[in-house]
Amino acid sequence: MKVGILGATGYTGIELVRILSKHPNAKITYLSSKHFESQLISEVYPGLQGICDLILEGDDFKKAVATCDIIFSTLPHELTFEIAQMVMDAGKRLIDLGSAFRFDDFNVFKKWYGSNDDIEYDKFNKVYGLTELNREKIKNAQIVGNPGCYPTSVILALAPVLKNRVVSDKNIIIDSKSGVSGAGHEPKFSNLYSECNENTKPYNVAKHRHIPEIGQELSKIMQEEVKIVFTPHLVPMTRGILSTIYCNLGSDITLNEVYDLYQEFYKNDYFIKILNPGKYPSTKSVVGSNYCQIGFEIDEHTNTLIIMSVIDNLVKGASGQAVQNMNLMFGLPENKGLDIIRIFP
Amino acid sequence: MKVGILGATGYTGIELVRILSKHPNAKITYLSSKHFESQLISEVYPGLQGICDLILEGDDFKKAVATCDIIFSTLPHELTFEIAQMVMDAGKRLIDLGSAFRFDDFNVFKKWYGSNDDIEYDKFNKVYGLTELNREKIKNAQIVGNPGCYPTSVILALAPVLKNRVVSDKNIIIDSKSGVSGAGHEPKFSNLYSECNENTKPYNVAKHRHIPEIGQELSKIMQEEVKIVFTPHLVPMTRGILSTIYCNLGSDITLNEVYDLYQEFYKNDYFIKILNPGKYPSTKSVVGSNYCQIGFEIDEHTNTLIIMSVIDNLVKGASGQAVQNMNLMFGLPENKGLDIIRIFP
Amino acid sequence: MKVGILGATGYTGIELVRILSKHPNAKITYLSSKHFESQLISEVYPGLQGICDLILEGDDFKKAVATCDIIFSTLPHELTFEIAQMVMDAGKRLIDLGSAFRFDDFNVFKKWYGSNDDIEYDKFNKVYGLTELNREKIKNAQIVGNPGCYPTSVILALAPVLKNRVVSDKNIIIDSKSGVSGAGHEPKFSNLYSECNENTKPYNVAKHRHIPEIGQELSKIMQEEVKIVFTPHLVPMTRGILSTIYCNLGSDITLNEVYDLYQEFYKNDYFIKILNPGKYPSTKSVVGSNYCQIGFEIDEHTNTLIIMSVIDNLVKGASGQAVQNMNLMFGLPENKGLDIIRIFP
Amino acid sequence: MKVGILGATGYTGIELVRILSKHPNAKITYLSSKHFESQLISEVYPGLQGICDLILEGDDFKKAVATCDIIFSTLPHELTFEIAQMVMDAGKRLIDLGSAFRFDDFNVFKKWYGSNDDIEYDKFNKVYGLTELNREKIKNAQIVGNPGCYPTSVILALAPVLKNRVVSDKNIIIDSKSGVSGAGHEPKFSNLYSECNENTKPYNVAKHRHIPEIGQELSKIMQEEVKIVFTPHLVPMTRGILSTIYCNLGSDITLNEVYDLYQEFYKNDYFIKILNPGKYPSTKSVVGSNYCQIGFEIDEHTNTLIIMSVIDNLVKGASGQAVQNMNLMFGLPENKGLDIIRIFP
């Protein structure tokens, strides 16, 4: 299939190029970049020399939609809404790596993203693209709202215990640690090497835009409102997210039973790995790959279940999951072109 | 005063050398090292050439006690108990950077540290050396059990709200992130550069030996049993601890009121800095210094108070606080020789 | 083909597992580890869970040779000589990632590696495995001495100008910078995170064991003795080598002519990328991949040619090149199973 | 004395604040910043809260000159020339951390810095501020052109052998490795964490603006033209420069004799540390301090002397040396306020 990537030089864009340029069924035919328009992508990223040497085009979205079977967009929501309309009209497919199509209720989106868009949100044939949970719907969707990186790490970690109502419906504490690539490719003081290196810091405490996305999906899984406390942190590494999650256990359950419950829940999911009781995940075990690893511990003193999940924020947390969704949408095996192991060390 | 450092080549030992070699009232006269006995310390750490060129002695503790006014020990508890007895007998002073003298109840120590020591624990004239909370007792103590790095970051962060009973006596969730120097100077697979770099991982989840130390001190402050969930993490940086702490608010209180409460509580404490509401601490703001910075946020949706504190694990979390205690014990201004700013960037 | 890896838990061993576990023609059937004998490799490296779950065996080399078509050895030379004999006797193939088979003259080996081995070195049907330069010989060799990481980066960078005698036969200055994984997986003070992080240092200056290997190969290419000055450095990153090489230009030649000469020399080499004049390589452009990128500059003021080459020390500098050689030895396309792009960022 | 810092929020500016806010004879009274005008410096750098809380002023240079005894400027040369005139007129002192006053020949400056300034360069009472070499002149200078970071590391390393004509006047190869803070505080793609982390790269090869500065000073020392090849590299650490320098030995000299020669040359220099033969410097041994460490090796095979020097680029390579110069200019001991040890680990 012919693939276009809008916004190809950001970190999720360039990760799509990395994955798709080796995907046996995909052929990248359109790349755009506002910053680097009319340069070769292999000039901007010399590691691609001889591997992908396309010219970066500007914002000719019509051409992209006309010439591609599927569009990946990493652009701001205003532009994505435009593109989505063109995709709908042309009967093509769209996977949006931004936030435009992640919400059930447009008002939630408008509130948290400060949007003044006035569009008919429900007309879009869209689905929330957390592959493992929405596999069937994704197959037929025209538009996939690819999940945020934090939500992917959190929802995968919590789905089994919420679905099985093992935890009480008290507040869930989510403490996430992300590598700096999650902050994007824009030059800002806060992204500079000398600011981030040898530094760990919380940011957007109790205010991060992934909060309503997480809350929406967890509540659907548990079929009642789930309240979360969410604190994201930047740690000095390029890739990887570790989410450490604290829930009150609502019932007597052993660590082995928790393990069995997760194994059962994810038994058919290629990319989800449940760690043996007593083992905890580390981000380095998944970096470069589309895997999510999940481990847990029970603090018996306080009856608290501690769930820990790791993903590569740019792969399972963004571009890898997007390709996983593309595979589903085009009837391919879910792991096609994604069968890469983490790089270690 | 004449100072001896037992175990001078570990990271807390070498940090004592850094600080004390410029302390106007201290003169380092005795250094020991098991690994590097009979080498110059400036051969082991070439940055000290011309600054501190003492020979590293072996374990001649008698000589150390006889020739020094104060001993800093970073040795295992078995040895420290021996040294403590000599110090008591000789009427000298001891600051132990290990865990031997941090506990009120020797059985708690024995249980968590797997100790078979059979000693008369209560005969030691000792005090828990969290300077800001035990200042008066420290002045006259002969033996100071210098706090662990995590406990320092946690207890300082929680003392004002526990003392003022602003939080309900529910479980307190403590999620701490530490630089790798906290894991010590011993060559182990888990401390290797290529294992730790670009990696974030939890360890000793709900089992870390700092749990009883934290619980003991928080319970004394609140005057009832405080239960904690504690998850330490290693993040890829050399120095620094960030503790993110989640408590249920038991009363209606605004962010500004929380700020005022902390300001009042720490108004006379040189090394504690309370950040303005809306500001969060980052480890880099304190690395290299003896400061502790504390910030907070309220998640109104769940009525949760989120407290964030940062220290340099080797300074306020170990050797800096030890020198702060030494200053008190010898009638010096608390910040003598410690008036160093963080290094930034 | 059936593949055995002796010494599978060191960094080159585990990198072989990463690559070979996805190689369409290879099946890993034997893994050994002295340290972790009888554990699952996926317990030692949890990122392999569900991908490679073999048990790590001890040193039963006979079984390895008997059951595998090809053996990769990362063991010390004493053991490798033993294994090589078994491989010869059994008519199997061996790729040695150590230093045992890199030399033409056994006395050079013995001198630099402090070896007392008394073996008949010339009886082994062996070849120096720098793929691009020895392709035809490798195809038929029974034993391949896989090149060192530094030599790979240096010889590839210098071969075109030495072969074409563009540089004068003066001393060549080689200043190499390596990531810490090059120092191996053994716990040592010098490999600890807190020692290496935020640190750049030279080591083994003018004494590194790769000096005779580089000298031997460069001299063969130029067909006269080439003298080199070689200074390796450790820089705080996990993977990657950058070699910056300084040669006196012996003739009038422009930057464009140098470029053309390299392009011509490597025109059939899939993994060698020559950068356009004015572009310089960075290690991050190749990390995770088997590519070598080469750039250059001429300092006209001093008539010096500056050549810069980058590789991933664990891939093209070790395990990737080993698989490239395996492909040749078994009649497969050279890039089979190696067609992976660098991970960026 | 009253001190003003123009451009206080860049990395050399903020390092001046770190050092001077604890200097017993200096009082910071004026800080300017274009980016952060009218904010508190402790809002921009929260680590300074309670230590330095001055308001950042705009570019009111007249006020700065009028109210301060000495001005430190980190501003672009166009502005610095203006300020220098005001300083001259007011009989005050100026230390410029930029490039404006580092040159003997204004045409060299104009050529390398692309400057169109048309000023009477020689009217300024200025001196090149490499403290150890120009100590007497600095004492009386009104304007000090503080050296660049690379030139400091290189000139200190070469002065003894050039002065003593131990090396032949062939080309000298200088291969320098710098931490990323040397690239400044401006947000640019090339300074981003995710670009620099896990990456080593050369830049401005044979074109860096420090080349004429190094050449000018080395030629004065040797009293004949010295030609250099200079390749700077960025390595993934925040602070530190290591320069590895290769010279042809012009005479028979042993390593011990080289050592003696350096010891003699720098016998009165507090901040220069010569390492014992066989020891090589690492950047971590000096980070945070004003020390320069120098080591060497002789490659007998090629008769090459390899000199290695390390400094902290922001301290001895910029702000520390500036304060060292200030001390001289005001009759203070050279190490006043600078007696800080490196931070390790």
Side-chain angles (χ1 to χ4, degrees):
Chain A
M1 73 210 73
K2 288 182 184 164
V3 171
I5 303 169
L6 306 180
T9 55
Y11 290 144
T12 55
I14 200 68
E15 186 69 0
L16 283 167
V17 175
R18 176 173 86 104
I19 296 169
L20 290 169
S21 61
K22 298 293 180 185
H23 192 292
N25 301 78
K27 185 176 164 57
I28 301 174
T29 58
Y30 190 95
L31 297 176
S32 84
S33 169
K34 202 173 131 194
H35 269 293
F36 301 102
E37 184 178 347
S38 81
Q39 293 186 46
L40 295 183
I41 188 150
S42 53
E43 284 177 306
V44 183
Y45 291 102
L48 292 173
Q49 196 178 310
I51 295 162
C52 182
D53 293 298
L54 286 179
I55 288 175
L56 292 160
E57 309 202 27
D59 288 347
D60 188 352
F61 303 142
K62 275 189 194 161
K63 180 177 165 194
V65 173
T67 59
C68 297
D69 301 306
I70 179 164
I71 300 286
F72 292 86
S73 171
T74 73
L75 302 177
H77 53 80
E78 300 84 350
L79 294 174
T80 302
F81 288 135
E82 273 184 48
I83 295 155
Q85 188 58 58
M86 294 182 203
V87 164
M88 294 277 287
D89 294 346
K92 301 293 177 74
R93 317 290 281 272
L94 169 70
I95 297 178
D96 175 33
L97 286 90
S99 53
F101 292 110
R102 293 175 185 164
F103 292 89
D104 296 332
D105 179 347
F106 194 50
N107 290 320
V108 173
F109 173 76
K110 288 174 80 168
K111 179 186 155 201
W112 282 82
Y113 286 83
S115 155
N116 294 315
D117 296 278
D118 185 18
I119 59 164
E120 207 185 317
Y121 199 57
D122 294 335
K123 77 180 168 192
F124 294 108
N125 171 14
K126 68 181 173 55
V127 65
Y128 186 72
L130 194 64
T131 325
E132 283 74 13
L133 301 185
N134 293 330
R135 194 171 274 126
E136 291 312 310
K137 287 184 191 159
I138 291 165
K139 286 181 182 170
N140 301 308
Q142 209 166 350
I143 296 175
V144 168
N146 214 58
C149 49
Y150 289 122
T152 296
S153 77
V154 171
I155 299 166
L156 288 172
L158 278 167
V161 283
L162 293 185
K163 189 82 175 181
N164 288 281
R165 306 185 79 82
V166 167
V167 300
S168 71
D169 63 341
K170 291 281 181 47
N171 305 332
I172 293 173
I173 308 283
I174 301 162
D175 188 291
S176 293
K177 298 89 180 163
S178 173
V180 180
S181 63
H185 190 228
E186 288 302 305
K188 287 183 286 190
F189 282 117
S190 58
N191 289 3
L192 292 181
Y193 181 84
S194 300
E195 308 288 316
C196 296
N197 186 39
E198 295 295 286
N199 200 5
T200 295
K201 59 182 168 188
Y203 69 104
N204 287 357
V205 181
K207 290 184 205 68
H208 196 282
R209 287 168 166 184
H210 286 168
I211 292 174
E213 182 182 341
I214 295 169
Q216 164 187 292
E217 295 301 312
L218 295 185
S219 298
K220 282 194 283 188
I221 292 165
M222 195 159 185
Q223 292 182 297
E224 66 182 275
E225 196 197 351
V226 175
K227 285 191 177 176
I228 62 165
V229 179
F230 177 60
T231 310
H233 300 77
L234 276 190
V235 297
M237 59 188 190
T238 302
R239 288 171 175 240
I241 286 179
L242 165 68
S243 288
T244 314
I245 304 172
Y246 304 86
C247 330
N248 297 302
L249 275 176
S251 55
D252 262 359
I253 186 167
T254 67
L255 196 55
N256 282 326
E257 288 165 342
V258 172
Y259 173 78
D260 291 341
L261 187 153
Y262 274 79
Q263 280 288 26
E264 174 63 22
F265 192 93
Y266 287 122
K267 66 185 170 194
N268 295 319
D269 291 299
Y270 185 86
F271 290 116
I272 314 295
K273 302 281 180 196
I274 309 305
L275 296 177
N276 291 332
K279 297 279 182 188
Y280 312 132
S282 62
T283 58
K284 200 154 185 160
S285 287
V286 296
V287 160
S289 82
N290 198 49
Y291 292 98
C292 172
Q293 288 199 348
I294 304 174
F296 11 73
E297 190 54 80
I298 292 176
D299 181 72
E300 295 183 354
H301 201 52
T302 60
N303 211 26
T304 303
L305 175 66
I306 305 165
I307 314 168
M308 295 149 281
S309 75
V310 292
I311 58 170
D312 183 323
N313 58 306
L314 295 179
V315 189
K316 184 60 182 168
S319 306
Q321 184 157 245
V323 172
Q324 197 181 353
N325 287 330
M326 180 195 79
N327 285 338
L328 283 180
M329 293 161 86
F330 285 83
L332 299 169
E334 200 170 309
N335 64 352
K336 195 86 180 216
L338 281 170
D339 203 9
I340 39 180
I341 315 182
R342 62 76 188 92
I343 184 169
F344 188 96
Chain B
M1 72 210 75
K2 289 182 185 163
V3 171
I5 302 170
L6 306 180
T9 56
Y11 290 145
T12 55
I14 201 68
E15 186 71 358
L16 283 168
V17 175
R18 178 173 84 104
I19 296 168
L20 290 170
S21 62
K22 298 294 179 184
H23 192 292
N25 301 79
K27 185 175 165 59
I28 301 174
T29 57
Y30 189 94
L31 297 176
S32 83
S33 169
K34 202 173 132 194
H35 269 293
F36 302 101
E37 185 178 346
S38 82
Q39 293 186 45
L40 295 183
I41 188 151
S42 53
E43 284 177 303
V44 183
Y45 291 103
L48 292 173
Q49 197 178 311
I51 294 162
C52 182
D53 294 298
L54 286 180
I55 288 176
L56 292 160
E57 309 201 26
D59 288 348
D60 187 352
F61 303 143
K62 275 189 196 160
K63 180 178 167 194
V65 174
T67 59
C68 297
D69 301 305
I70 179 165
I71 300 286
F72 293 86
S73 170
T74 74
L75 302 178
H77 51 81
E78 299 84 351
L79 295 174
T80 302
F81 288 135
E82 273 184 49
I83 296 155
Q85 187 59 57
M86 295 181 204
V87 164
M88 292 277 287
D89 294 346
K92 302 291 177 75
R93 317 292 281 271
L94 169 69
I95 297 178
D96 175 32
L97 286 90
S99 51
F101 292 110
R102 293 175 186 163
F103 292 89
D104 297 332
D105 179 347
F106 193 50
N107 290 319
V108 172
F109 172 76
K110 288 174 80 169
K111 178 184 156 203
W112 283 82
Y113 286 83
S115 155
N116 293 316
D117 296 280
D118 185 19
I119 59 164
E120 207 185 319
Y121 198 58
D122 293 335
K123 77 180 168 192
F124 293 108
N125 171 16
K126 68 181 173 56
V127 65
Y128 185 71
L130 194 64
T131 325
E132 283 73 14
L133 301 184
N134 292 331
R135 195 171 274 127
E136 291 311 312
K137 289 183 190 158
I138 291 165
K139 286 181 182 170
N140 300 309
Q142 209 168 349
I143 295 175
V144 168
N146 214 58
C149 50
Y150 289 122
T152 297
S153 78
V154 171
I155 300 166
L156 288 173
L158 279 167
V161 284
L162 293 184
K163 189 82 176 178
N164 288 279
R165 306 186 79 81
V166 167
V167 300
S168 71
D169 61 342
K170 292 279 181 49
N171 305 332
I172 293 174
I173 308 283
I174 301 163
D175 189 293
S176 292
K177 298 91 180 161
S178 174
V180 180
S181 63
H185 189 228
E186 288 302 305
K188 288 183 286 190
F189 282 118
S190 57
N191 289 4
L192 292 181
Y193 181 85
S194 300
E195 308 288 316
C196 296
N197 186 38
E198 295 295 286
N199 200 6
T200 295
K201 58 181 170 190
Y203 69 103
N204 287 358
V205 181
K207 290 184 206 66
H208 195 282
R209 287 170 165 182
H210 286 168
I211 291 175
E213 181 181 341
I214 296 171
Q216 164 187 291
E217 294 301 312
L218 295 185
S219 298
K220 282 194 283 187
I221 292 166
M222 195 158 184
Q223 292 181 294
E224 66 181 276
E225 195 197 352
V226 176
K227 286 190 178 177
I228 62 165
V229 179
F230 177 59
T231 310
H233 300 77
L234 276 191
V235 297
M237 59 188 191
T238 301
R239 288 172 176 239
I241 286 179
L242 166 67
S243 289
T244 314
I245 303 171
Y246 303 87
C247 330
N248 297 302
L249 274 176
S251 55
D252 263 359
I253 187 167
T254 67
L255 196 55
N256 282 326
E257 288 165 344
V258 172
Y259 173 79
D260 291 342
L261 187 152
Y262 275 79
Q263 281 288 27
E264 175 62 22
F265 192 93
Y266 287 121
K267 68 185 170 193
N268 295 321
D269 291 300
Y270 186 85
F271 290 115
I272 314 295
K273 301 282 179 195
I274 309 304
L275 296 177
N276 290 332
K279 298 280 182 187
Y280 313 132
S282 61
T283 59
K284 201 155 184 159
S285 286
V286 297
V287 162
S289 82
N290 198 49
Y291 291 99
C292 171
Q293 288 199 348
I294 304 173
F296 10 73
E297 190 55 80
I298 292 175
D299 181 72
E300 296 184 353
H301 201 52
T302 60
N303 210 27
T304 303
L305 175 65
I306 304 164
I307 313 168
M308 295 150 282
S309 75
V310 292
I311 58 170
D312 183 322
N313 57 306
L314 295 180
V315 190
K316 184 61 181 167
S319 307
Q321 185 157 244
V323 172
Q324 197 181 352
N325 287 331
M326 180 195 79
N327 285 337
L328 283 181
M329 292 160 87
F330 286 82
L332 299 169
E334 198 171 309
N335 63 352
K336 194 86 178 217
L338 282 170
D339 202 10
I340 39 181
I341 315 182
R342 63 76 187 90
I343 186 168
F344 188 97
Chain C
M1 75 210 72
K2 288 181 185 163
V3 171
I5 302 170
L6 306 180
T9 56
Y11 291 144
T12 54
I14 200 69
E15 187 70 359
L16 283 168
V17 175
R18 178 173 85 104
I19 296 169
L20 290 170
S21 62
K22 298 295 179 184
H23 192 293
N25 302 78
K27 186 175 164 56
I28 301 175
T29 57
Y30 190 94
L31 296 177
S32 82
S33 169
K34 202 172 132 195
H35 269 292
F36 301 101
E37 185 177 347
S38 81
Q39 293 186 46
L40 295 182
I41 188 152
S42 53
E43 284 177 304
V44 183
Y45 291 103
L48 292 173
Q49 197 178 311
I51 294 162
C52 181
D53 293 298
L54 287 179
I55 287 176
L56 291 161
E57 309 201 26
D59 287 348
D60 188 352
F61 303 144
K62 275 189 195 162
K63 180 179 165 193
V65 172
T67 59
C68 297
D69 301 305
I70 180 164
I71 300 285
F72 293 86
S73 170
T74 74
L75 302 178
H77 52 81
E78 299 84 350
L79 295 174
T80 302
F81 287 136
E82 272 185 49
I83 296 156
Q85 187 59 57
M86 296 182 203
V87 164
M88 292 277 287
D89 294 345
K92 301 291 177 75
R93 317 291 281 272
L94 169 69
I95 298 178
D96 175 33
L97 286 89
S99 51
F101 292 110
R102 292 175 186 162
F103 292 90
D104 296 332
D105 179 347
F106 193 50
N107 290 319
V108 172
F109 172 77
K110 288 174 81 169
K111 177 184 157 202
W112 284 81
Y113 286 83
S115 155
N116 293 316
D117 296 280
D118 185 18
I119 59 164
E120 207 185 316
Y121 199 58
D122 293 335
K123 77 180 168 190
F124 294 108
N125 170 16
K126 69 180 173 55
V127 64
Y128 186 71
L130 193 65
T131 325
E132 283 73 14
L133 301 185
N134 292 331
R135 196 172 273 125
E136 291 312 311
K137 288 183 191 160
I138 291 164
K139 286 180 183 171
N140 300 309
Q142 210 167 349
I143 295 175
V144 169
N146 214 58
C149 50
Y150 288 123
T152 297
S153 77
V154 171
I155 299 166
L156 288 172
L158 278 167
V161 283
L162 293 185
K163 188 82 175 179
N164 288 279
R165 305 185 79 82
V166 167
V167 300
S168 71
D169 61 343
K170 290 282 179 47
N171 305 332
I172 293 173
I173 308 282
I174 302 163
D175 189 292
S176 292
K177 298 91 181 163
S178 174
V180 180
S181 64
H185 190 228
E186 289 301 307
K188 288 182 286 190
F189 283 117
S190 58
N191 288 4
L192 293 180
Y193 181 86
S194 300
E195 307 289 316
C196 296
N197 186 39
E198 294 296 286
N199 199 6
T200 295
K201 58 181 169 190
Y203 69 103
N204 286 359
V205 181
K207 291 183 205 65
H208 195 282
R209 287 168 166 185
H210 286 169
I211 290 175
E213 182 181 341
I214 296 170
Q216 164 187 292
E217 294 301 312
L218 295 185
S219 297
K220 282 194 282 187
I221 293 166
M222 195 158 185
Q223 292 180 298
E224 66 182 276
E225 195 197 353
V226 176
K227 286 190 177 177
I228 62 165
V229 179
F230 177 60
T231 311
H233 300 76
L234 276 191
V235 297
M237 59 187 191
T238 302
R239 288 171 176 241
I241 285 179
L242 166 68
S243 289
T244 313
I245 303 171
Y246 304 86
C247 330
N248 297 302
L249 274 176
S251 55
D252 262 359
I253 186 167
T254 66
L255 196 56
N256 282 326
E257 288 165 343
V258 172
Y259 174 79
D260 291 342
L261 187 153
Y262 274 79
Q263 280 288 27
E264 175 64 22
F265 192 93
Y266 287 121
K267 68 184 170 193
N268 295 320
D269 291 299
Y270 186 85
F271 290 115
I272 315 295
K273 301 282 180 194
I274 309 305
L275 296 178
N276 291 333
K279 296 280 181 188
Y280 313 131
S282 61
T283 59
K284 201 155 184 158
S285 287
V286 296
V287 162
S289 82
N290 198 49
Y291 291 99
C292 171
Q293 288 200 348
I294 304 172
F296 11 71
E297 189 55 80
I298 291 175
D299 181 73
E300 295 184 351
H301 201 52
T302 60
N303 211 26
T304 303
L305 175 65
I306 304 163
I307 314 168
M308 295 150 282
S309 75
V310 292
I311 58 170
D312 183 322
N313 56 307
L314 296 179
V315 191
K316 183 61 181 168
S319 307
Q321 184 156 247
V323 172
Q324 197 182 351
N325 287 329
M326 180 195 79
N327 285 338
L328 282 181
M329 292 161 86
F330 286 81
L332 299 169
E334 197 169 311
N335 64 352
K336 195 86 178 214
L338 281 170
D339 203 9
I340 40 180
I341 315 182
R342 62 76 186 91
I343 186 168
F344 188 96
Chain D
M1 73 210 73
K2 289 182 184 164
V3 171
I5 302 169
L6 306 180
T9 56
Y11 290 144
T12 54
I14 200 67
E15 186 70 359
L16 283 167
V17 175
R18 177 173 86 104
I19 296 169
L20 290 169
S21 61
K22 298 293 179 186
H23 192 292
N25 301 79
K27 186 175 164 57
I28 301 174
T29 57
Y30 190 95
L31 297 176
S32 84
S33 169
K34 202 173 133 195
H35 269 293
F36 301 100
E37 184 177 347
S38 81
Q39 292 185 46
L40 296 183
I41 188 152
S42 53
E43 284 178 305
V44 183
Y45 291 101
L48 292 173
Q49 197 178 311
I51 295 162
C52 182
D53 294 298
L54 287 180
I55 288 176
L56 292 160
E57 308 203 26
D59 288 348
D60 187 351
F61 303 143
K62 274 189 194 160
K63 181 179 163 193
V65 173
T67 60
C68 298
D69 301 306
I70 180 164
I71 300 286
F72 293 86
S73 171
T74 74
L75 302 177
H77 53 79
E78 299 84 350
L79 295 174
T80 303
F81 288 135
E82 272 184 49
I83 296 155
Q85 187 60 56
M86 293 182 204
V87 164
M88 293 278 287
D89 294 346
K92 301 293 177 75
R93 317 291 280 271
L94 169 70
I95 297 178
D96 175 33
L97 285 89
S99 52
F101 292 110
R102 293 176 186 162
F103 292 90
D104 297 331
D105 179 348
F106 193 51
N107 289 320
V108 172
F109 173 77
K110 289 174 80 169
K111 177 185 157 204
W112 283 82
Y113 286 82
S115 155
N116 294 315
D117 296 279
D118 185 18
I119 60 163
E120 207 185 316
Y121 200 57
D122 294 334
K123 78 181 167 190
F124 294 107
N125 171 16
K126 68 181 173 56
V127 65
Y128 186 71
L130 194 64
T131 325
E132 283 73 13
L133 301 185
N134 293 329
R135 195 170 273 126
E136 291 311 311
K137 287 183 191 159
I138 290 165
K139 286 181 183 171
N140 301 309
Q142 209 166 352
I143 295 175
V144 168
N146 214 58
C149 50
Y150 289 123
T152 296
S153 77
V154 171
I155 299 166
L156 288 173
L158 278 167
V161 283
L162 293 185
K163 188 81 176 182
N164 288 281
R165 306 185 80 82
V166 167
V167 300
S168 72
D169 62 340
K170 291 279 180 48
N171 305 331
I172 294 173
I173 308 283
I174 302 162
D175 188 292
S176 293
K177 298 89 179 164
S178 173
V180 180
S181 64
H185 190 227
E186 288 302 305
K188 288 182 286 190
F189 282 117
S190 57
N191 289 3
L192 292 181
Y193 181 84
S194 299
E195 308 288 316
C196 297
N197 186 39
E198 294 294 287
N199 200 5
T200 295
K201 60 182 168 188
Y203 69 104
N204 287 356
V205 181
K207 291 185 204 66
H208 195 281
R209 286 169 167 182
H210 286 168
I211 291 175
E213 182 181 340
I214 296 170
Q216 165 187 293
E217 295 302 312
L218 295 185
S219 297
K220 281 194 284 188
I221 292 165
M222 194 158 185
Q223 292 181 297
E224 65 182 274
E225 196 196 353
V226 175
K227 285 189 177 178
I228 62 166
V229 179
F230 176 61
T231 310
H233 301 77
L234 276 190
V235 297
M237 58 187 190
T238 301
R239 288 171 176 239
I241 285 179
L242 165 68
S243 289
T244 314
I245 304 172
Y246 303 86
C247 330
N248 297 302
L249 274 176
S251 54
D252 262 0
I253 186 167
T254 67
L255 196 55
N256 282 327
E257 288 165 342
V258 172
Y259 173 78
D260 291 341
L261 187 153
Y262 275 78
Q263 279 289 27
E264 174 65 22
F265 193 92
Y266 287 122
K267 67 184 171 195
N268 296 320
D269 291 299
Y270 185 86
F271 290 116
I272 314 295
K273 301 281 181 196
I274 309 305
L275 296 177
N276 290 333
K279 296 279 182 188
Y280 313 133
S282 62
T283 59
K284 201 154 184 159
S285 287
V286 296
V287 161
S289 82
N290 198 49
Y291 291 98
C292 172
Q293 288 198 348
I294 303 174
F296 11 72
E297 190 55 80
I298 292 175
D299 182 73
E300 295 183 354
H301 201 52
T302 60
N303 211 26
T304 302
L305 175 66
I306 304 165
I307 314 167
M308 295 150 281
S309 75
V310 292
I311 57 170
D312 183 322
N313 58 305
L314 295 179
V315 190
K316 183 61 181 169
S319 306
Q321 183 156 245
V323 172
Q324 196 181 354
N325 287 330
M326 180 196 80
N327 286 338
L328 283 181
M329 292 160 86
F330 286 82
L332 298 169
E334 200 170 309
N335 64 351
K336 195 88 180 211
L338 281 170
D339 203 9
I340 39 180
I341 315 182
R342 61 77 188 93
I343 185 169
F344 187 97

